[in-house]
Amino acid sequence: MDGVIVDTEPVHHYAYVQHFRQLNIDVSPEMYASFTGNSTKNIYERLKGIYNLQDEVPKLVETKRNLFNDAFDAKEDLYLLEGVETLIKDLHQNGMQLVLASSSARVTIERIFKRFHLHQYFSHIVSGEEFPQSKPNPAIFEQAAFLAQTPTENCIVIEDSTNGIKASKAAGIYCIAYNSVNSKLQDLSLADQVIQRFDELDYEVIRNINA
C-alpha cells in the first residue's frame, strides 16, 4: 500500500522523525531505508534493542501512530499514485481478485481505504501487524493467497521494497517491482519484472504473465 497505492511514505517519515527526536535517538538514512516493508511493531522492536529504549513496544507504536494520524489528517495534498487507480479499476472490472497485503497497521489501512474509497475493489485486507515477523518473511503473502483461495503460482505481487520482493519470492509468487521515487535505497534486482509507471500494466498484460 505505502509507496505502491498511495504516497504516504513522506507522512510516515515525518512521524518517525518526530518520534525519533522525542526519543533522542539518531537513526541514519541507511537504517531507516532498511525498515521499508516492516511493520511498525517490528521496527520498534529493533529500535528498542539497538537504543535500549525505556518505553515498551506497544507504547512506542501508539505514539508513532498518533503522530502519523495527525499528520495524515492535516495533509490535504495526499493522492493515489499516478496511474494506480486506473489499474485497480481495470483489474477489478475484468474480474481479477485484488488483495491488499500491507505491513501497515489495520487502523492505518482502514484510514487510507476510507479516504480514497478503495474497499469496493479489494476482496481481502491483510495487515503485517497480524504476524510475528515482517517481510521478508513470506507469511503475509501466503495468507493473502490463502484468503484469495488461489495457488501462489497463480498470484502476482506488486512491491516497491527489498523486503517485500524477498517475501514475494520466498512465497513462490511472481513479483513486479515498482521503482517508486519514494522508495530510496531499495534493491529491486530479485523481482521478475520492474516497472517505472503503472500505465505499463493493465488487465491483459497481467493476465498474460500467468498464461
Side-chain angles (χ1 to χ4, degrees), residues 25-90:
I25 60 175
D26 182 21
V27 176
S28 69
E30 291 75 19
M31 182 184 292
Y32 185 83
S34 74
F35 295 157
T36 305
N38 282 197
S39 69
T40 308
K41 174 176 172 287
N42 286 159
I43 289 170
Y44 279 105
E45 285 173 346
R46 282 181 61 188
L47 291 173
K48 185 173 173 63
I50 294 169
Y51 295 100
N52 194 29
L53 302 176
Q54 297 305 305
D55 288 339
E56 295 302 318
V57 170
K59 183 177 180 181
L60 293 167
V61 170
E62 182 182 8
T63 301
K64 184 268 172 181
R65 189 169 295 156
N66 289 336
L67 288 165
F68 172 86
N69 289 342
D70 290 344
F72 178 86
D73 291 342
K75 189 172 177 60
E76 296 180 0
D77 59 333
L78 190 64
Y79 310 102
L80 296 179
L81 290 172
E82 185 176 357
V84 75
E85 185 174 10
T86 299
L87 177 61
I88 288 171
K89 289 180 176 179
D90 179 45

Side-chain angles (χ1 to χ4, degrees), residues 19-209:
H19 197 201
F20 296 160
R21 287 174 180 163
Q22 292 176 11
L23 296 169
N24 197 29
I25 60 175
D26 182 21
V27 176
S28 69
E30 291 75 19
M31 182 184 292
Y32 185 83
S34 74
F35 295 157
T36 305
N38 282 197
S39 69
T40 308
K41 174 176 172 287
N42 286 159
I43 289 170
Y44 279 105
E45 285 173 346
R46 282 181 61 188
L47 291 173
K48 185 173 173 63
I50 294 169
Y51 295 100
N52 194 29
L53 302 176
Q54 297 305 305
D55 288 339
E56 295 302 318
V57 170
K59 183 177 180 181
L60 293 167
V61 170
E62 182 182 8
T63 301
K64 184 268 172 181
R65 189 169 295 156
N66 289 336
L67 288 165
F68 172 86
N69 289 342
D70 290 344
F72 178 86
D73 291 342
K75 189 172 177 60
E76 296 180 0
D77 59 333
L78 190 64
Y79 310 102
L80 296 179
L81 290 172
E82 185 176 357
V84 75
E85 185 174 10
T86 299
L87 177 61
I88 288 171
K89 289 180 176 179
D90 179 45
L91 298 179
H92 182 262
Q93 288 168 358
N94 281 285
M96 191 168 283
Q97 185 176 186
L98 302 177
V99 179
L100 183 84
S102 171
S103 296
S104 293
R106 187 167 287 273
V107 293
T108 302
I109 295 170
E110 291 293 337
R111 208 176 194 91
I112 290 168
F113 265 49
K114 183 177 180 181
R115 178 162 174 169
F116 294 105
H117 312 290
L118 295 175
H119 282 102
Q120 60 190 310
Y121 305 116
F122 289 79
S123 62
H124 300 282
I125 290 172
V126 188
S127 166
E129 70 177 354
E130 297 159 11
F131 302 90
Q133 292 180 290
S134 292
K135 306 168 188 175
N137 187 288
I140 189 170
F141 291 136
E142 292 168 345
Q143 177 66 8
F146 172 78
L147 291 172
Q149 298 184 331
T150 304
T152 53
E153 61 267 24
N154 292 337
C155 296
I156 293 171
V157 162
I158 300 177
E159 262 289 350
D160 71 326
S161 73
T162 304
N163 288 327
I165 294 167
K166 287 180 177 178
S168 174
K169 300 311 298 177
I173 300 177
Y174 187 98
C175 186
I176 299 173
Y178 170 54
N179 190 14
S180 169
V181 295
N182 291 303
S183 299
K184 303 290 193 301
L185 304 175
Q186 300 302 301
D187 180 7
L188 309 182
S189 63
L190 291 178
D192 297 285
Q193 179 181 346
V194 179
I195 61 169
Q196 310 296 324
R197 304 180 317 278
F198 280 107
D199 62 10
E200 296 175 48
L201 301 175
D202 59 23
Y203 171 72
E204 291 298 331
V205 170
I206 289 181
R207 186 185 67 169
N208 289 331
I209 288 173

